[in-house]
C-alpha cells in the first residue's frame, strides 16, 4: 500500500493527499464511491465508468487522492492506476502512456498476470498508431486508418482477437483494478477526445472500474466539436453519456466548511508567518472572511490560491502590515491585478494620508460634497474588473474610496507606509521596523533615552516614532513604566540655557498623544495610562505629567475647561481633581522659588494653575520677574511663539505683565546674535499684537 503523502496545507493550489487532511467532511462520499467501483460482497471490480464532476478548483483531485487511499485500505488486493492526461501531449503519447500505466499494475512474476501483460502490450501496440486516425465522434476509421489496420492485423492477431483474449484473461483476475483519470478538462480538445476513445476501447474489460474527474461543460464542448455551434453541446453530451455510465457532481460545500479550511490553511502558515494567537477569533478577521466568502471564495482552490499569495506577501513584509488587510489584499491581487497595478502607480489616490497637495485637496473636496455625487471609483477600475467584488474589497481596505470613516488600527493598508511596504515587498527607505521598536522597549530606561536622543540627532526620530505610534496599542505586555521613565529622561530639561524648546516640545507633544491614542484604541491602556501617570508623578516629571493632567481637564470639562468627552481619559474625574490640587501646589512652590521655568519645555503646568485659580498675583509677579533673565525670556518666547506655536494676548496677560513682555521683545530684537528660530518667534509676536 502506498505511503501517505505529507499534508498539503499551506501549499498553493495543491490537492490534499490523504483522508486525514480532509476538512470538508467528504469521507462518507469517498467511501460510498469506492463501494460503487468494487463490490463489497465479491471484492471484484464492478466495471463501471463513473464521472466526478465540478468546476476547476472544486476539489476533484483531492477526491481522487482520497479515493485511492480508501480503495487500497479497504481492498488490499486492489490495484489503483493513476492517469493524468495533462502530463502527456500528443495522441500517440496519450495512448501509450495510458496502456503503460495499466501494464505497471500487473505483476510479471505472477503467471496469470504475466499473460495479461503480454496481451495488453500487443493490444497497445496496435491501438497507439490507430489513435492518429480514429474519429471518436464518427465511430469509424478513415481511409488511411483502414489501410494501417489491415497491415497491422496481417502481421499479428487482429484487434478483436486480442480484445477477446484480454477480456478472458481479465475475467479470471482476482485483483480488482481501479483506473483514476484526473484533469481531463485541462487538456486540448483533441486530447480530450483521444482519452474518451481510450476509455471506450477498454471500458467494458472485466475487472476494471474507472473514475474520470472533469468539468462537465468543458468536456462537452470538446466532444461536440466539428458541428454547428447550436448543436455542439447536445452532440458532446450525447457522446459523453456513451462513455460515462454514472456522473456525480461533487458534494456541495457549505460556507462554514470552507471557513474551516481557510483557518486550517492559515494555521499551517503560522510556522513561517507571524499571526496573532487565536487569530480566527479576531472580529476584523471575521468581517474580512465574511466579505471574501460572499464575493471571491467559493472553492478549495480559491482558498489555496489566497493563502499561497498571502504566504508570499506576509513572508516578505513580516509584521509591518496589518495581517487581515494583507489577506484581503491578496484576494484583490488575484481578482483585480490591473487595479492593483493602478494602486502601485499612484498610491496617494487611495491612502488617508497622501503627500501630494492635489490628493489632499481632493480629499477635502470629497469630504464636503454630497454622497450622491460622482462615483469615487470612476477611473480607478477597468471595465473587466469593475464589479461588486472588487469594489467591496477596495472599500474594505481603502475607506476613502467608499467615503467611509477612516480605519483606525495599526498598520492598515490605507496609510502610506504600510501600503508602500506592501508594494515594495519590504521596508521603504529610512522606515523603522517593528523589530526595532520591540528592541527599544526591551532596553533599560537610560538606554531608551540614549537611543531616542541619537535618533533625534541622526534625523531618524520621525520614522521611529511613527512606527512606535503604529503598534504601541498592540503592546500591553511590555514594561511601560520603564519605557516612559526613559522618555522622561530624554525630555528632562536641566537648565534655562538649553533652548531646544521647539524640538523638545514637539517630541513631548508626540509622546503626549501616543498614550492618549493607545487608550482610545485598546481599553487595556486605560489602566496602563493611569499606572504610568502615577509613576511619573512620583518621579517628579515636568514634561509629560503637566500636559496629560491638562488634557484630563478637557476630558471632564473641569476647572473652566470645555468638555471634549472622556473617551481617551485614563484617570477618573475624582483622581484628576485630586492630582490637580496636589500637583498645582508642588508647581506653585517650585515656581515661586524660581525652579519651575528653567525646567520645562512648555507652559501646560502654568496654564493648568491659571484655570484652577491657583495662579495668583505672586505667581504672576514671579513670571514677570523671569522676563528680565535673558535666557529665561528666550525660553518663554520660544514656548509661546516658537515653531507652529502661538499664544493669545489674554493668556500672556494672565501669566505676566503684558507691557513688560512687549518691551522685552523689542529689546531682544535689537540683539545681534539671535538664532533664526528665536528671531522668528519674536517677530511672530510683533506681527500678531503690534501691527
Amino acid at each position: 500500500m502506498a505511503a501517505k503523502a505529507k499534508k498539503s496545507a499551506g501549499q498553493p493550489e495543491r490537492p490534499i493527499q490523504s483522508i486525514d487532511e480532509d476538512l470538508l467532511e467528504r469521507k462518507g462520499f469517498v467511501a460510498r464511491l469506492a463501494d460503487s467501483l468494487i463490490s463489497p460482497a465479491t471484492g471484484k471490480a464492478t466495471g463501471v465508468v463513473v464521472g466526478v464532476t465540478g468546476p476547476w478548483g472544486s476539489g476533484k483531485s483531492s477526491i481522487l487522492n482520497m479515493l485511492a487511499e480508501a480503495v487500497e485500505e479497504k481492498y488490499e488486493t486492489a490495484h489503483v492506476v493513476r492517469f493524468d492526461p495533462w502530463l502527456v501531449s500528443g495522441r500517440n503519447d496519450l495512448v501509450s502512456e495510458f496502456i503503460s500505466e495499466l501494464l505497471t499494475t500487473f505483476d510479471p512474476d505472477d503467471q496469470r498476470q504475466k499473460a495479461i501483460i503480454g496481451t495488453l502490450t500487443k493490444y497497445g501496440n496496435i491501438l497507439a498508431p490507430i489513435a492518429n486516425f480514429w474519429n471518436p465522434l464518427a465511430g469509424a476509421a478513415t481511409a488511411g486508418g483502414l489501410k494501417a489496420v489491415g497491415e497491422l492485423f496481417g502481421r499479428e492477431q487482429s484487434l478483436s482477437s486480442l480484445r477477446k483474449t484480454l477480456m478472458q484473461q481479465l475475467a479470471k483476475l482476482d485483483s480488482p483494478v481501479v483506473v483514476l483519470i484526473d484533469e481531463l478538462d485541462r487538456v486540448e480538445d483533441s486530447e480530450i477526445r483521444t482519452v474518451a476513445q481510450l476509455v471506450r476501447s477498454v471500458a467494458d474489460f472485466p475487472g476494471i472500474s474507472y473514475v474520470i474527474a472533469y468539468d462537465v461543460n468543458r468536456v462537452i464542448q470538446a466532444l461536440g466539436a466539428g458541428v454547428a455551434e447550436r448543436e455542439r453541446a447536445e452532440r458532446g453530451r450525447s457522446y459523453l453519456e456513451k462513455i460515462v455510465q454514472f456522473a456525480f457532481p461533487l458534494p456541495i460545500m457549505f460556507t462554514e466548511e470552507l471557513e474551516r479550511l481557510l483557518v486550517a490553511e492559515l494555521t499551517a502558515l503560522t510556522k513561517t508567518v507571524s499571526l496573532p494567537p487565536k487569530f480566527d477569533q479576531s472580529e476584523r478577521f471575521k468581517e474580512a472572511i465574511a466579505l471574501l466568502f460572499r464575493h471571491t471564495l467559493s472553492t478549495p482552490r480559491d482558498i489555496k490560491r489566497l493563502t499561497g499569495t498571502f504566504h508570499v506577501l506576509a513572508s516578505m513584509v513580516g509584521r509591518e502590515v496589518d495581517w487581515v488587510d494583507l489577506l484581503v489584499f491578496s484576494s484583490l491581487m488575484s481578482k483585480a491585478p490591473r487595479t492593483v497595478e493602478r494602486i502601485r502607480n499612484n498610491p496617494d489616490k487611495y491612502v488617508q494620508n497622501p503627500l501630494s497637495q492635489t490628493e489632499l485637496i481632493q480629499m477635502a473636496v470629497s469630504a464636503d460634497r454630497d454622497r450622491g455625487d460622482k462615483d469615487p471609483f470612476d477611473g480607478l477600475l477597468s471595465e473587466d474588473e469593475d464589479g461588486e467584488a472588487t469594489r467591496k474589497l477596495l472599500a474594505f481596505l481603502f475607506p476613502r474610496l467608499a467615503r467611509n470613516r477612516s480605519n483606525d488600527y495599526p498598520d492598515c493598508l490605507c496609510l502610506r507606509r504600510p501600503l508602500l511596504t506592501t508594494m515594495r515587498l519590504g521596508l521603504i527607505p529610512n522606515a523603522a521596523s517593528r523589530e526595532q521598536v520591540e528592541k527599544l522597549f526591551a532596553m533599560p530606561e537610560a538606554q531608551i533615552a540614549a537611543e531616542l536622543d541619537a535618533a533625534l540627532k541622526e534625523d531618524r526620530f520621525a520614522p521611529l516614532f511613527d512606527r512606535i505610534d503604529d503598534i504601541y496599542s498592540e503592546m500591553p505586555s511590555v514594561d511601560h513604566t520603564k519605557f516612559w521613565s526613559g522618555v522622561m529622561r530624554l525630555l528632562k530639561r536641566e537648565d534655562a540655557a538649553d533652548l531646544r524648546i521647539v524640538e523638545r516640545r514637539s517630541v513631548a507633544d508626540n509622546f503626549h498623544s501616543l498614550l492618549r491614542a493607545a487608550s482610545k484604541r485598546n481599553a487595556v491602556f486605560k489602566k496602563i495610562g493611569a499606572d504610568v501617570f502615577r509613576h511619573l508623578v512620583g518621579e517628579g516629571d515636568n514634561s509629560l505629567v503637566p500636559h496629560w493632567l491638562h488634557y484630563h481637564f478637557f476630558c471632564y470639562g473641569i476647572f473652566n475647561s470645555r468638555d471634549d468627552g472622556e473617551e481617551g481619559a485614563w484617570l477618573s474625574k475624582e483622581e484628576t481633581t485630586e492630582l490637580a490640587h496636589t500637583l498645582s501646589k508642588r508647581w506653585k512652590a517650585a515656581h515661586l522659588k524660581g525652579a519651575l521655568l528653567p525646567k520645562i519645555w512648555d507652559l501646560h503646568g502654568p496654564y493648568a494653575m491659571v484655570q484652577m485659580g491657583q495662579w495668583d498675583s505672586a505667581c504672576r509677579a514671579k513670571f514677570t520677574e523671569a522676563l528680565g533673565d535673558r535666557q529665561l525670556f528666550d525660553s518663554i518666547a520660544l514656548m509661546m511663539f516658537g515653531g507652529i506655536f502661538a499664544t493669545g494676548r489674554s493668556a500672556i496677560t494672565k501669566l505676566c505683565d503684558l507691557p513688560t513682555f512687549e518691551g522685552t521683545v523689542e529689546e531682544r530684537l535689537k540683539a545681534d546674535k539671535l538664532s533664526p528660530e528665536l528671531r522668528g518667534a519674536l517677530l511672530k509676536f510683533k506681527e500678531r499684537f503690534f501691527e
Side-chain angles (χ1 to χ4, degrees), residues 621-656:
K622 190 67 178 179
F623 198 101
T624 303
E625 179 187 327
L627 301 180
D629 182 309
R630 181 180 61 79
Q631 287 183 339
L632 277 179
F633 174 78
D634 289 351
S635 293
I636 292 168
L638 287 167
M639 289 182 205
M640 289 183 173
F641 295 99
I644 64 171
F645 309 118
T647 303
R649 178 181 290 267
S650 63
I652 299 174
T653 302
K654 289 174 183 177
L655 290 172
C656 64

Side-chain angles (χ1 to χ4, degrees), residues 385-609:
E385 291 182 353
D386 188 358
E388 185 181 10
T390 306
R391 288 175 175 243
K392 291 290 186 182
L393 294 176
L394 285 168
F396 182 89
L397 295 172
F398 307 106
R400 178 182 166 191
L401 293 177
R403 297 174 182 152
N404 291 337
R405 189 171 70 85
S406 298
N407 287 339
D408 185 24
Y409 53 91
D411 302 335
C412 56
L413 269 178
C414 58
L415 298 177
R416 283 190 95 255
R417 184 201 55 77
L419 180 58
L420 292 178
T421 297
T422 302
M423 296 303 182
R424 186 180 173 85
L425 298 177
L427 285 176
I428 60 177
N430 302 318
S433 68
R434 182 181 286 258
E435 184 180 6
Q436 286 175 273
V437 173
E438 291 171 347
K439 286 181 178 179
L440 176 69
F441 274 81
M443 294 175 182
E445 62 184 63
Q447 194 175 347
I448 290 172
E451 174 58 28
L452 292 172
D453 191 49
L456 281 166
K457 292 174 180 175
E458 297 165 11
D459 201 24
R460 296 186 287 109
F461 180 78
L464 176 60
F465 181 82
D466 285 346
R467 198 70 189 102
I468 294 172
D469 188 37
D470 283 344
I471 64 177
Y472 182 56
S473 61
E474 294 181 343
M475 304 172 69
S477 60
V478 300
D479 188 339
H480 295 275
T481 55
K482 181 191 69 172
F483 172 73
W484 287 103
S485 290
V487 174
M488 183 187 73
R489 286 193 181 207
L490 170 76
L491 295 173
K492 188 174 182 179
R493 190 179 183 200
E494 298 297 341
D495 57 56
D498 188 347
L499 293 181
R500 295 175 296 170
I501 304 291
V502 174
E503 176 200 273
R504 294 294 156 144
R505 180 173 176 180
S506 177
V507 172
D509 283 347
N510 279 319
F511 280 110
H512 297 150
S513 64
L514 178 66
L515 195 53
R516 295 203 309 262
S519 68
K520 290 180 179 179
R521 290 173 174 172
N522 187 341
V524 173
F525 276 79
K526 299 214 179 261
K527 181 179 184 308
I528 291 170
D531 291 342
V532 167
F533 190 93
R534 297 184 195 111
H535 174 74
L536 295 187
V537 167
E539 295 287 308
D541 169 65
N542 284 321
S543 297
L544 297 165
V545 166
H547 186 124
W548 284 334
L549 182 69
H550 201 203
Y551 163 71
H552 276 77
F553 287 6
F554 291 93
C555 287
Y556 297 112
I558 57 178
F559 301 123
N560 300 309
S561 302
R562 69 177 183 272
D563 188 345
D564 289 341
E566 57 189 80
E567 179 189 2
W570 56 85
L571 299 174
S572 68
K573 183 177 181 179
E574 293 71 24
E575 188 173 11
T576 299
T577 303
E578 180 182 346
L579 283 167
H581 287 295
T582 300
L583 290 170
S584 65
K585 291 176 183 177
R586 180 191 297 179
W587 297 334
K588 183 176 181 178
H591 173 58
L592 293 176
K593 291 178 182 178
L596 181 64
L597 292 177
K599 301 293 185 181
I600 58 178
W601 301 107
D602 59 46
L603 296 170
H604 278 286
Y607 287 149
M609 287 188 280

Side-chain angles (χ1 to χ4, degrees), residues 18-35:
S18 169
I19 292 174
D20 292 341
E21 300 172 48
D22 181 41
L23 297 175
L24 300 178
E25 299 182 3
R26 295 169 293 186
K27 182 177 181 180
F29 170 76
V30 169
R32 292 188 293 274
L33 182 57
D35 288 344

